[in-house]
């Protein structure tokens, strides 16, 4: 049962339900109306810009019919129906999260304890079963990574992995790239050397938010892949010393890359990236691509380097890593703004051939949201 009251001469409205009182402003309600005159029925995009809504907008009548709220706005004399459940789901009259480094509930951080429960699925199941695809994508949303097994062992199969949820992000490396030993490589990834945990392409702005690495050949000894949850590393750093967290999130690092030809890439972003309200939204960490740090004040530089060193120590701690060996037809996908990846050294005998490509989280989130909506509709 809902009770509604007009307050502040109709410029505000309160809904009473289950002992709680939730308030809304008339301007917010009018701006978020879902009638066909205000939003396109086909795609939900707004048809009425904010500048066309009267500044003195107010509500002069409010009635409730079961789960629907009917409001009449003046001076437009326009009546609009609102689903009360939608209003409650989108209520902003609540205690806001404002601690620096907070994360949305969908995220679960992890360490080496996840080794026994690595999220994974079979390629054909993800391709053909929407429920399996939804679960697999949900793992990527929650943990920042997942494996996919049983894929085709063929050149450029990695692109088929991206097609499962979104679109390939083409870069100077092309639509895909090969990871195997080369003579005079442009990138250290194309050697047999071990690689420290890092996020890819921090010298780009925007950075690719998804990386996929797909195995085509793997007969060389070693070369196991390792991943680390950058968000868990940030949590530990902040717990140990909030000043370290603050200095890495308050000041920008610089990253750069000069490849063959005319490629000269650079970006200036903090190693720990926060939204304006303090939400932890990204980690950029790649010592190989770090340029001279010039955006930290002189009196903060020693603290910055202490924090930088400690962050690296946390990331390199074996207790933080999940490792696995990829066999032909297997791949893993990571959220490149959160999860760092590394590689153990491998021998010169045998072969190791991986292909990779980049994509973006917006395509993945769109596919996941669509699958969840389809599941809700099927359950109704």
């Amino acid at each position: 049962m809902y009770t509604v009251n007009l307050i502040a001469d109709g410029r505000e409205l309160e809904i009473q339900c289950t002992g709680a009182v939730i308030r809304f402003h008339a301007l917010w309600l009018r701006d978020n109306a879902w009638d066909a005159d205000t939003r396109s029925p086909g795609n939900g995009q707004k048809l009425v810009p904010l500048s066309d809504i009267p500044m003195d907008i107010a509500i002069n009548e409010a009635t409730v019919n079961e789960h629907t709220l009917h409001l009449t706005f003046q001076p437009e004399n326009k009546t609009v129906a609102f689903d009360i459940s939608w209003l409650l789901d989108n209520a902003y009259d609540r205690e806001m999260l404002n601690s620096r480094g907070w994360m949305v509930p969908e995220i679960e951080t992890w360490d080496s304890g996840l080794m026994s429960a690595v999220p994974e699925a079979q390629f054909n199941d993800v391709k053909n079963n929407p429920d399996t695809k939804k679960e697999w994508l949900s793992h990527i949303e929650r943990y920042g990574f997942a494996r996919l097994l049983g894929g085709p062992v063929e050149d450029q199969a990695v692109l088929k992995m991206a097609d499962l949820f979104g679109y390939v992000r083409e870069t100077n490396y092309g639509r895909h790239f090969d990871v195997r030993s080369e003579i005079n490589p442009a990138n250290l990834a194309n050697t047999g050397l071990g690689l420290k945990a890092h996020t890819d392409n921090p010298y780009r702005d925007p950075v690719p938010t998804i990386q996929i690495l797909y195995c085509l050949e793997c007969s060389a000894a070693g070369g196991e892949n390792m991943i680390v949850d950058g968000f868990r590393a940030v949590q530990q750093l902040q717990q140990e010393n909030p000043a370290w967290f603050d200095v890495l999130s308050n000041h920008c690092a610089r990253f750069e890359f000069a490849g063959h030809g005319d490629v000269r890439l650079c970006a200036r972003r903090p190693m720990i990236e926060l939204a304006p309200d303090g939400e932890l939204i990204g980690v950029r960490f790649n010592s190989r691509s770090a340029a001279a740090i010039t955006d930290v004040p002189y009196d903060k530089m020693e603290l910055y380097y202490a924090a930088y060193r400690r962050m690296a120590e946390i990331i390199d701690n074996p207790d933080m890593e999940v490792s696995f060996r990829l066999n032909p037809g297997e791949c893993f996908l990571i959220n490149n703004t959160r999860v760092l990846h590394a590689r153990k050294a491998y021998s010169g005998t045998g072969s190791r051939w991986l292909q990779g490509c980049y994509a973006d989280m917006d395509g993945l989130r769109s596919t996941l949201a669509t699958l969840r909506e389809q599941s809700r509709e099927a359950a109704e």
Side-chain angles (χ1 to χ4, degrees):
M1 182 65 181
Y2 304 104
T3 302
V4 297
N5 298 303
L6 298 178
I7 54 179
D9 296 326
R11 296 191 306 276
E12 301 173 23
L13 174 141
E14 64 179 22
I15 301 176
Q16 298 179 11
C17 60
T18 61
V21 177
I22 301 174
R23 298 166 298 174
F24 296 88
H25 291 86
L27 179 59
W28 186 95
L29 290 163
R30 180 65 186 90
D31 184 45
N32 287 282
W34 278 89
D35 63 292
D37 294 331
T38 304
R39 290 180 182 264
S40 171
N43 55 36
Q45 291 188 321
K46 291 183 178 180
L47 303 173
V48 178
L50 180 61
S51 57
D52 286 355
I53 298 176
M55 292 182 63
D56 59 347
I57 194 80
I59 304 167
N60 72 330
E61 186 176 350
T63 59
V64 176
N65 180 9
E66 294 187 350
H67 298 287
T68 303
L69 173 64
H70 298 271
L71 301 178
T72 301
F73 294 91
Q74 299 296 343
E76 295 175 296
N77 195 31
K78 180 179 180 61
T79 300
V80 178
F82 292 85
D83 184 304
I84 295 181
S85 295
W86 184 90
L87 288 174
L88 298 180
D89 288 342
N90 290 275
Y92 57 92
D93 185 16
R94 54 182 170 80
E95 183 178 353
M96 297 290 183
L97 296 172
N98 56 13
S99 60
R100 287 169 59 82
W102 68 271
M103 287 173 278
V104 296
E106 292 79 12
I107 288 177
E108 180 178 338
T109 63
W110 47 268
D111 56 21
S112 61
L114 192 61
M115 187 88 75
S116 60
V118 172
E120 60 186 33
Q122 292 290 324
F123 171 71
N124 284 334
D125 291 341
V126 171
K127 181 180 178 181
N128 299 317
N129 188 319
D131 289 335
T132 303
K133 179 186 288 191
K134 181 182 66 174
E135 182 180 11
W136 183 67
L137 296 178
S138 297
H139 289 321
I140 299 167
E141 177 186 55
R142 177 164 295 277
Y143 301 112
F145 84 100
R147 296 179 63 191
L148 197 60
L149 314 177
V153 183
E154 61 187 36
D155 188 24
Q156 301 185 34
V158 65
L159 303 180
K160 295 182 179 180
M161 307 302 113
D163 289 341
L164 292 171
F165 61 85
Y167 305 94
V168 172
R169 164 96 169 264
E170 188 166 359
T171 69
N172 58 292
Y173 300 119
R175 282 177 52 80
H176 77 284
F177 52 89
D178 292 291
V179 182
R180 54 185 171 185
S181 296
E182 295 178 0
I183 300 174
N184 298 323
N187 195 300
L188 288 178
N190 295 319
T191 70
L193 298 174
L195 297 176
K196 291 278 192 179
H198 61 281
T199 59
D200 248 33
N201 289 203
Y203 39 75
R204 296 188 193 276
D205 194 5
V207 68
T209 50
I210 285 180
Q211 180 178 12
I212 308 171
L213 284 173
Y214 193 92
C215 181
L216 293 173
E217 296 178 5
C218 191
S219 60
E224 290 85 356
N225 294 98
M226 299 175 288
I227 53 175
V228 175
D229 187 352
F231 283 7
R232 172 62 70 89
V234 168
Q235 284 180 319
Q236 182 173 331
L237 185 79
Q238 187 179 27
Q239 290 167 1
E240 291 183 7
N241 189 336
W244 288 341
F245 171 88
D246 288 341
V247 76
L248 292 186
S249 58
N250 288 343
H251 301 285
C252 285
R254 291 177 181 264
F255 303 92
E256 61 185 18
F257 175 76
H260 293 319
D262 58 354
V263 177
R264 296 292 184 273
L265 296 168
C266 61
R268 175 181 173 272
R269 283 289 184 272
M271 291 189 188
I272 300 173
E273 190 165 3
L274 306 179
D277 62 359
E279 179 190 2
L280 176 59
I281 59 174
V283 171
R284 291 195 190 209
F285 197 92
N286 189 322
S287 59
R288 288 181 291 127
S289 300
I293 297 169
T294 60
D295 296 293
V296 178
Y298 184 87
D299 61 353
K300 295 282 188 181
M301 190 61 79
E302 286 190 3
L303 177 66
Y304 188 93
Y305 266 92
Y308 185 4
R309 180 186 297 274
R310 183 56 187 147
M311 182 78 165
E313 291 172 347
I314 294 171
I315 289 169
D316 289 341
N317 187 336
D319 290 340
M320 296 291 290
E321 77 178 41
V322 166
S323 62
F324 44 82
R325 181 178 177 86
L326 288 180
N327 295 310
E330 298 179 352
C331 74
F332 70 98
L333 182 154
I334 58 173
N335 178 343
N336 187 50
T337 64
R338 171 185 171 183
V339 173
L340 301 89
H341 63 287
R343 182 190 69 207
K344 296 183 180 180
Y346 62 96
S347 71
T349 59
S351 63
R352 185 180 188 273
W353 179 19
L354 271 61
Q355 286 188 330
C357 73
Y358 298 116
D360 284 300
M361 283 295 294
D362 58 354
L364 186 150
R365 292 190 180 104
S366 173
T367 300
L368 181 56
T370 300
L371 291 169
R372 285 172 171 165
E373 180 64 24
Q374 291 172 348
S375 294
R376 283 192 292 267
E377 292 175 352
E380 292 177 354

